[in-house]
Amino acid sequence: HGLWLHYWRHQDRIDSFSGDKMVFGGMLMLCLLIQIYFLKNQPRNWAHWLLLTLIAWGLLLTETRGAWLGFALGFVLLSWKFNRRWLLAGVAATILAFFFLPAELQNRVRSIWDVRISFSNGWVQSSNYNERPLIWQAGWNIIKDYPMGIGQGNLGYLYPKYKNPNASESTVPHLHNNYLQILAQNGWIGFAAYLFWIFCYYWMALRFKPRNQDEKDLNWTFLCIFSATLVWGLTEYTFSHQYMILFFSLLGLQLNLWRNSRGDLESKKA
């Protein structure tokens, strides 16, 4: 649907049914990592290769740089575990594909490492990352004044007071960063709880004892998706309804995988 919107409706940054290009980018990031897992199990299935190509192209057309970076980390982790030759192939394919991209997409890719930010009198003056650094600075100022947090849904009321004078948006729904958003909303205690949840996840995922190779690979794929989401969260607030439904559904499947494996091991011991 997103590709149809791009080629027939001339939508520059596709959003499909999600209604938001950044959310859609995150969803495609997640789906692309899962598709690599399926392709690893059935490398000769042409349908998996077709889906991989369509999802990857769709992810590019969202122009969501944070999701691109999240996928890059997820792919590196998947390749490191499944087949390290994929890393070389992935780098080669990325470099080759870059020269065939439209100029607009090439510029978007270059902007990832071409970061230009200036400061004057303590304020961010300009950035090729649009409004984000300006929003992040305002968010940090809110955090300094409200260490216990401002609560859910109050950012829109407080943001105008802390808005960078160079920012064009009068208010924002979120801070385009999971960590700053949670700090601003829930304070340092809430942020500590969020970090503890992340620590507990990795503790459980890395200590998981699979019954077979397929369970081991599936658990690692879920871990790569979790890690990719954390990276995407550096440039976007990922706790949207659409993405989180998909994300936590996969976490639920992983939790079920852990429980079934543990229950089987305990029954064998008994």
Side-chain angles (χ1 to χ4, degrees), residues 123 134-135 137-164 169-175 180-181 183-187:
W123 289 102
L134 286 69
I135 294 171
Q137 184 180 35
W140 182 247
N141 289 335
I142 292 173
I143 292 164
K144 288 191 292 185
D145 285 352
Y146 294 88
M148 298 303 293
I150 61 175
Q152 297 287 122
N154 294 320
L155 181 66
Y157 300 106
L158 275 175
Y159 182 81
K161 176 183 174 183
Y162 292 87
K163 183 179 79 74
N164 187 308
E169 298 180 40
S170 59
T171 188
V172 292
H174 53 74
L175 297 173
L180 287 177
Q181 182 73 20
L183 262 171
Q185 285 182 166
N186 309 107

Side-chain angles (χ1 to χ4, degrees), residues 193-206:
Y194 178 59
L195 294 181
F196 181 69
W197 172 66
I198 294 173
F199 169 80
C200 288
Y201 171 81
Y202 281 110
W203 177 263
M204 294 293 294
L206 294 173

Side-chain angles (χ1 to χ4, degrees), residues 4-230:
W4 177 79
L5 287 175
H6 179 76
Y7 289 106
W8 276 269
R9 292 292 184 90
H10 307 292
Q11 186 182 60
D12 290 332
R13 296 183 64 184
I14 62 175
D15 56 15
S16 189
F17 297 109
S18 73
D20 185 275
K21 51 191 174 292
M22 289 171 284
V23 172
F24 190 46
M27 295 171 76
L28 291 180
M29 171 195 75
L30 182 155
C31 292
L32 190 55
L33 291 171
I34 294 176
Q35 188 58 37
I36 291 174
Y37 164 77
F38 288 137
L39 189 61
K40 178 254 181 190
N41 290 334
Q42 296 180 310
R44 296 185 179 181
N45 189 324
W46 65 268
H48 287 319
W49 284 103
L50 176 61
L51 286 173
L52 183 81
T53 303
L54 292 175
I55 296 171
W57 186 239
L59 177 58
L60 269 175
L61 292 179
T62 66
E63 298 186 29
T64 308
R65 293 168 295 192
W68 294 349
L69 292 174
F71 169 74
L73 174 69
F75 177 74
V76 168
L77 292 176
L78 279 176
S79 302
W80 189 261
K81 201 74 168 180
F82 292 166
N83 190 334
R84 295 180 186 178
R85 287 178 294 182
W86 291 0
L87 287 173
L88 182 60
V91 170
T94 300
I95 295 173
L96 182 63
F98 176 80
F99 294 102
F100 290 93
L101 291 176
E104 181 183 354
L105 280 175
Q106 287 187 352
N107 291 334
R108 190 76 173 170
V109 173
R110 287 193 190 98
S111 69
I112 293 176
W113 61 80
D114 183 22
V115 181
R116 287 168 288 177
I117 300 176
S118 61
F119 295 86
S120 178
N121 298 323
W123 289 102
V124 176
Q125 295 295 308
S126 62
S127 168
N128 60 330
Y129 272 67
N130 301 320
E131 294 266 316
R132 273 178 174 73
L134 286 69
I135 294 171
W136 295 339
Q137 184 180 35
W140 182 247
N141 289 335
I142 292 173
I143 292 164
K144 288 191 292 185
D145 285 352
Y146 294 88
M148 298 303 293
I150 61 175
Q152 297 287 122
N154 294 320
L155 181 66
Y157 300 106
L158 275 175
Y159 182 81
K161 176 183 174 183
Y162 292 87
K163 183 179 79 74
N164 187 308
N166 300 298
S168 59
E169 298 180 40
S170 59
T171 188
V172 292
H174 53 74
L175 297 173
H176 290 280
N177 182 295
N178 279 348
Y179 310 95
L180 287 177
Q181 182 73 20
I182 291 172
L183 262 171
Q185 285 182 166
N186 309 107
W188 288 99
I189 295 176
F191 184 65
Y194 178 59
L195 294 181
F196 181 69
W197 172 66
I198 294 173
F199 169 80
C200 288
Y201 171 81
Y202 281 110
W203 177 263
M204 294 293 294
L206 294 173
R207 286 168 53 88
F208 171 64
K209 296 180 180 179
R211 292 169 294 186
N212 51 57
Q213 185 63 40
D214 190 54
E215 285 189 351
K216 183 178 180 180
D217 292 345
L218 186 58
N219 178 69
W220 186 256
T221 301
F222 286 139
L223 183 146
C224 292
I225 291 171
F226 189 92
S227 303
T229 302
L230 294 182

